[in-house]
Amino acid sequence: MTGHGKTALMLGGVAVFMVGLSFAAVPLYDLFCRVTGFGGTTQAADSAPDQVLEQTVVVRFDASTDSAMPWHFKPAQFQQELKIGEVGLAFYEAHNPTDRPVTGTATFNVAPFSVGGYFTKIDCFCFTEQTLAPGQTVMMPVSYYIDPEIVDDDEASRVHTMTLSYTFYETEPEQAGLDQGDKTNGG
């Protein structure tokens, strides 16, 4: 093989390696965000902590939709005050004004980003796809708490108001022919 052939082969190998890295970057970044709370990524838990502190925080709620998502989506309440470690329950309202079933997936974050790792969801509509029938309106719950370990974080412990934001995107249902009732309001 000539020098040019080896160079071309090496460049081709580098290109394949770079493409492989680009596909691995998204799941690795997602894992990093979930572990560290980076970028306002929240945590998930099966149950509430054993400890409830006297300090309180205010959680504000925000909702939006992607420009291609036809739903109307909004928080049912604009804020809640709760004790650190106490379980909060909030609702978001979604309405499908179209004449066809629409399936959506919600992305989420918490601001300021420094508290994302301490905002923990027990149950959330955002854990699964949601399908709304034509004209259907649903109330979708999220149960959550603020981890008591927040008080040990120099930066996050100074935050007394945080915002939980959701954005809904239209997606294809996971299974073709899925009965609308199977996924509706299932989160």
Side-chain angles (χ1 to χ4, degrees):
M1 187 177 284
T2 67
H4 292 295
K6 287 181 184 178
T7 302
L9 185 60
M10 284 179 41
L11 288 175
V14 168
V16 168
F17 178 73
M18 296 293 280
V19 168
L21 279 179
S22 70
F23 282 103
V26 171
L28 289 175
Y29 180 75
D30 183 55
L31 177 63
F32 171 77
C33 290
R34 288 175 194 261
V35 170
T36 65
F38 182 77
T41 301
T42 64
Q43 305 300 305
D46 293 330
S47 61
D50 296 330
Q51 182 181 24
V52 176
L53 307 179
E54 287 304 311
Q55 294 105 311
T56 62
V57 293
V58 173
V59 178
R60 293 184 179 155
F61 303 100
D62 181 50
S64 63
T65 57
D66 177 66
S67 61
M69 173 54 117
W71 288 1
H72 300 276
F73 178 58
K74 65 182 182 179
Q77 64 288 306
F78 294 103
Q79 69 180 33
Q80 290 179 339
E81 183 174 357
L82 71 154
K83 293 179 179 180
I84 294 174
E86 178 183 19
V87 175
L89 179 63
F91 290 88
Y92 282 77
E93 180 180 304
H95 173 72
N96 176 7
T98 71
D99 60 357
R100 64 180 174 86
V102 176
T103 299
T105 302
T107 61
F108 51 87
N109 75 340
V110 172
F113 293 160
S114 63
V115 298
Y118 301 103
F119 194 104
T120 306
K121 295 178 188 175
I122 297 171
D123 194 19
C124 182
F125 60 88
C126 61
F127 292 164
T128 60
E129 288 183 339
Q130 303 295 318
T131 300
L132 271 61
Q136 183 179 15
T137 300
V138 295
M139 297 300 284
M140 299 184 292
V142 56
S143 62
Y144 66 95
Y145 64 90
I146 309 307
D147 191 319
E149 290 183 11
I150 194 171
V151 299
D152 298 326
D153 184 308
D154 289 338
E155 183 178 352
S157 65
R158 292 181 289 195
V159 174
H160 301 289
T161 301
M162 53 192 74
T163 303
L164 174 62
S165 298
Y166 289 97
T167 302
F168 253 106
Y169 295 85
E170 185 171 2
T171 57
E172 294 295 320
E174 288 181 3
Q175 300 170 331
L178 180 68
D179 178 29
Q180 294 172 12
D182 292 345
K183 296 290 269 188
T184 302
N185 198 22

